[in-house]
């Protein structure tokens, strides 16, 4: 289905009561006919006959329309206008006829859940512009037009929030998208409060125009809608009628191609040829008003205070002024009066780098001199040079390179108002025309120039801007800090919502280019034409920029001198050199140290690299060469992380927003980088698709050791490609690698991951990003934990904590676990052992195997299998076993025999002793033998002679041992031969 009107296919002009004229479709010869069409078919007769129509290429000029009766171009009357061959939509009190707002919500929800309803989502008319939806529905503003010739469509838009995807594309009558380059389809972000114009060519025939927005609210932050106005289409053959001027405008002359705004204190209705003045004593009207409004009584919201310019006596005072244009009545009964002028007070001193030459103005110090703002400018001492920059902390007048302005989304005139006002020790936001005005403060820096001594360094910091501010708000105010580099495009660096205590913010410039810094303050983003929150404001206390190209000096810094001779000029130090405090000569930093920023004075400027890192040749940074060494239990573990050194990625999710939109977090990780370079790139393919090279200067991408992007899958919103947005750098510098749980204030949290089951320690890589945010005052930190897991591949697998699926639990420190076999130490001789085989066929094999579980990779390889000759020892082994068994049986038998014999002798001897004691005398000395039959046993005869019984027993045992010892020796020799073999 086509939406809108087919302009000029049939010209419905030339009304004659009961009928009107139309053109037929053009035939193959380019001809057509003018025919009369009755208002009500069949209710009238006598219609004019068809006549030959104008040529199909016929068209009217701007300010004219085609009068069908005469088929001639006629000038528009006063109070109306015509574009000739185009049509413009500039009134948005309602959605104009022909436009349709179509809301869709495609498959984004988790399985089994119903998506949210988008019936209430649509583009909303806001008077002078149309506003997109603020939710997560995809809503298209659609208009169809039929062109007789090639033309174009142009429109003004505001697109400030990258939480919305905004695309403009064209389809034909077959619902096929026209071939358009991607930079024409996806809209680029605009600066807050500023309108951008977009123009696309149209082909002849039917063109269906789509303005489509899709919100993605990853957090709780409310998205800012897209605004459209002044949609103009060129390429229609003619206007069938003139358009009346909208209320608040007029055209006083016939043949006008546009209408003008009514001046202040006048108004007009629709189709006016002039504006009607208001009674200015009781009523007022702003420029472009449709009616006069009664003047209210003056209140405190209708005036503001400023500090007067210092006079010749160096005095200033507070002056109160009515906000212009003044719309209130001072003589009303309940009106307030303007407060009296304050007392004259001494002017604040000049800002550092300026001096007062006894006049009312502060002048910059001449080149080569410095001043703190209180004293006269003085030349820098020998061996020093001026520290150039800006340091604004006194606000009597706006500095020459700072401008103040006001923008309004509805394009009402607030340009004549100062968006910011000086107030002595601070500068603050002004009143503006309404609460949703953008109050702009702009500082332009033509470029940066490093001090002479460090102009040869290769550091990444060229300068920095620091400002101190606070916001005081009762509504949904927001302060934006934006930056425009080389006049390319303005991007939001940081923003703050609501009231904020006095705080400091610093942004580092990593590129030497001209830059424009902008602060934009908005009291509320709701459309309001009144000053309800006039007391909501932002106060800026100081703004400091270092190394500014056209800056002034508030102090001098030490520099390297060419020689010790008096008057020697400053000379640049080579990259990686510092200035010696005693001689002011350039000396190279020691190995594995780096220069911190551009502070090069003194040996302490060379700071040691962190553990597991080394410095590059220029000593500008420290990096990891993907190797690591660790000493554990007198054993040196060496690691090689080269397979992990290149970029690895993890896409965790899916996650779902509050309305069910599916999205993923994509992390690109470059563990080691390329000698300090950060090859991990996250690109934004929505807000800047025109840049094909992610490394080009114009590319809207982030380069870091670790970066993050939000990815909307193509199957989730009907997009043809996956969308990546909100790219952020998480790791700009490498701090070091260690097994310790913290480094330089960055703490690892091993409890977030499963406990390592193996004895190889986890190695933590620490990174830092110094850019601060409103939630991370100390910047962002990242810890990548490498864990040895032989079951993983060489590239391994990256995971995030289960408790923190976004990779971070506090939004400031990110944690990743990288399990890989490449995270295991290099293999050494201690990681394998040998196994000897049996002797078979005179050959014995020795093989080497890894000790299980194998917890190493690379390094030494397993030795080859070894084979060596051996003797067959089975026969001698059997002989030895037989002899050993025989000797063992013999020994046992002899032992039993000796033990039994000994028992019998002990018994006989005891009876003999007992008999002798009973008779109290011993047997005769000539014979001690026992006669036959005297003992209980007659088996043996024991004759006691000079050798004692104990000696005889010993002799018997000795004889037995003399027989047994050779058996033992033979058995021992047999076993030794077997072992040696």
């Amino acid at each position: 289905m086509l939406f809108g009107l087919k302009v000029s296919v049939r010209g419905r002009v030339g009304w004659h009561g009961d009928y009107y004229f139309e053109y037929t479709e053009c035939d193959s010869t380019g001809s057509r006919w003018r025919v009369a069409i009755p208002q009500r078919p069949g209710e009238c007769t006598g219609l004019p006959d068809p006549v030959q129509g104008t040529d199909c290429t016929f068209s009217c000029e701007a300010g004219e329309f085609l009068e069908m009766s005469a088929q001639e171009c006629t000038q528009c009357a006063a109070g109306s206008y015509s574009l000739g061959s185009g049509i413009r939509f500039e009134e948005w009190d309602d959605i104009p006829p022909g436009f349709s707002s179509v809301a869709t919500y495609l498959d984004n929800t988790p399985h089994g859940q119903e998506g949210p309803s988008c019936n209430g989502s649509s583009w909303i008319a806001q008077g002078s512009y149309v506003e997109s939806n603020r939710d997560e529905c995809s809503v298209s503003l659609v208009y169809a037009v039929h062109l007789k010739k090639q033309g174009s469509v142009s429109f003004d838009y505001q697109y400030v929030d990258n939480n919305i995807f905004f695309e403009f594309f064209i389809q034909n009558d077959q619902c096929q998208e026209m071939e358009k380059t991607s930079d024409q389809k996806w809209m680029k972000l605009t600066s807050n409060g500023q309108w951008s114009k977009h123009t696309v060519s149209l082909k002849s025939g039917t063109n269906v125009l789509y303005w489509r927005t899709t919100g993605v609210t990853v957090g709780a932050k409310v998205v800012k809608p897209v605004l459209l106005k002044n949609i103009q289409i060129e390429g229609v053959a003619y206007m069938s009628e003139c358009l009346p001027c909208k209320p608040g405008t007029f055209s006083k002359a016939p043949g006008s191609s546009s209408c003008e705004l009514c001046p202040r204190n006048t108004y007009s209705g629709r189709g006016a040829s002039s504006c009607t003045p208001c009674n200015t004593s009781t009523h007022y009207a702003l420029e472009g008003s449709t009616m006069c409004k009664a003047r209210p009584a003056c209140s405190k919201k209708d005036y503001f205070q400023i500090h007067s310019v210092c006079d010749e006596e160096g005095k200033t005072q507070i002056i109160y002024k009515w906000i212009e244009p003044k719309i209130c009545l001072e003589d009303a009964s309940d009106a307030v009066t303007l407060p009296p002028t304050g007392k004259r007070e001494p002017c604040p001193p000049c800002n550092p780098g300026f001096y007062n030459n006894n006049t009312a103005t502060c002048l910059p110090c001449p080149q080569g001199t410095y001043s703190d703002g209180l004293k006269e400018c003085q030349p820098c001492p020998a061996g020093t040079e001026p520290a150039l920059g800006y340091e604004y902390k006194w606000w009597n007048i706006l500095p020459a390179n700072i401008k103040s302005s006001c923008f309004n989304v509805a394009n009402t005139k607030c340009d004549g108002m100062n968006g910011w006002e000086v107030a002595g020790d601070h500068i603050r936001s002004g009143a503006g025309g309404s609460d949703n005005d953008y109050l702009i403060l702009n500082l332009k820096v033509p470029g940066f120039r490093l001090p002479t001594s460090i102009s040869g360094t290769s550091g990444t910091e060229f300068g920095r801007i620091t400002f101190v501010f606070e916001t005081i708000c009762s509504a949904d105010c927001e302060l934006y800090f934006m930056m425009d580099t080389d006049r390319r495009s303005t991007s939001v660096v940081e923003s703050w919502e609501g009231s904020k205590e006095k705080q400091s913010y610093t942004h580092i410039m990593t590129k030497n280019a001209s830059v424009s810094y902008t602060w934009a303050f908005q009291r509320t983003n709701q459309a309001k034409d009144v000053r309800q929150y006039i007391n909501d404001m932002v106060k800026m206390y100081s703004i400091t920029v270092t190394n500014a190209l056209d800056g002034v000096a508030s102090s001098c810094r030490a520099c390297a001198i060419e020689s010790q001779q008096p008057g020697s000029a400053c000379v640049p130090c080579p990259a990686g050199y510092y200035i010696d405090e005693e001689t002011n000569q350039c000396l190279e930093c020691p190995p594995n140290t780096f220069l911190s920023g551009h502070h090069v004075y003194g040996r302490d400027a060379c700071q040691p690299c962190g553990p597991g890192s080394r410095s590059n040749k220029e000593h500008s940074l420290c990096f990891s060469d993907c190797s690591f060494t660790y000493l554990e239990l007198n054993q040196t573990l060496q690691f090689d992380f080269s397979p992990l050194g290149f970029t690895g990625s993890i896409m965790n999710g899916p996650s779902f927003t509050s309305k069910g939109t599916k999205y993923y977090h994509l992390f690109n990780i470059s563990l080691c980088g390329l000698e300090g370079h950060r090859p991990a790139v996250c690109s934004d393919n929505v807000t800047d698709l025109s840049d094909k090279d992610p490394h080009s200067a114009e590319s809207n991408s982030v380069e870091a050791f670790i970066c993050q992007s939000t990815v909307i899958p193509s199957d989730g919103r009907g997009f043809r490609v996956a969308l990546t947005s909100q790219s952020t750098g998480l790791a700009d510098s490498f701090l070091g690698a260690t097994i310790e749980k913290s480094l330089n204030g960055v703490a690892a949290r091993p409890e977030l991951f499963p406990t390592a089951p193996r004895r190889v320690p986890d190695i933590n890589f620490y990174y830092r990003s110094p850019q601060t945010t409103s939630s991370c005052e100390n910047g962002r930190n990242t810890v990548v934990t490498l864990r040895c897991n032989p079951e993983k591949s060489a590239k391994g697998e990256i995971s995030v904590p289960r408790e923190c699926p976004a990779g971070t639990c506090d939004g400031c420190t990110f944690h990743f676990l990288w399990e890989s076999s490449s995270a295991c130490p290099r293999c050494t001789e201690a990681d394998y052992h040998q196994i000897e085989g049996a002797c078979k066929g005179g050959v014995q094999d020795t093989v080497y195997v890894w000790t299980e579980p194998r917890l190493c990779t690379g390094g030494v390889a397993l030795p080859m299998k070894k084979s060596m000759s051996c003797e067959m020892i089975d026969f001698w082994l059997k002989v030895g076993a037989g002899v050993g068994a025989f000797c063992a049986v013999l020994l046992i038998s002899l032992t039993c025999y000796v033990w039994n014999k000994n028992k019998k002798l002990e018994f006989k001897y005891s009876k003999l002793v007992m008999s002798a004691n009973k008779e109290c005398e011993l047997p005769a000395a000539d014979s001690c033998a026992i006669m036959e039959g005297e003992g209980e046993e007659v088996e043996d005869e024991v004759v006691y002679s000079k050798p004692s019984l104990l000696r005889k027993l010993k002799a018997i045992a000795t004889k037995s041992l003399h027989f047994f010892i050779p058996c033992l020796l033979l058995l021992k020799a047999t076993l030794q031969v077997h072992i040696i073999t």
Side-chain angles (χ1 to χ4, degrees), residues 513-529:
S514 63
V515 61
S516 176
Y517 298 109
T518 301
W519 294 266
F521 180 70
Q522 188 182 36
R523 292 185 174 91
T524 178
N525 61 3
Q526 304 298 324
K528 294 180 179 293
D529 58 355

Side-chain angles (χ1 to χ4, degrees), residues 159 230-231 376 393 458 505 540 566 602 621 679 715 771 777 784 832 844 887 899:
Y159 175 31
N230 295 337
I231 299 177
E376 295 292 330
K393 61 181 181 180
S458 58
Y505 179 81
M540 194 77 64
L621 50 83
D715 60 351
Q771 296 289 5
E777 297 180 355
V784 179
Y832 63 83
Q844 184 183 28
C887 292
W899 180 81

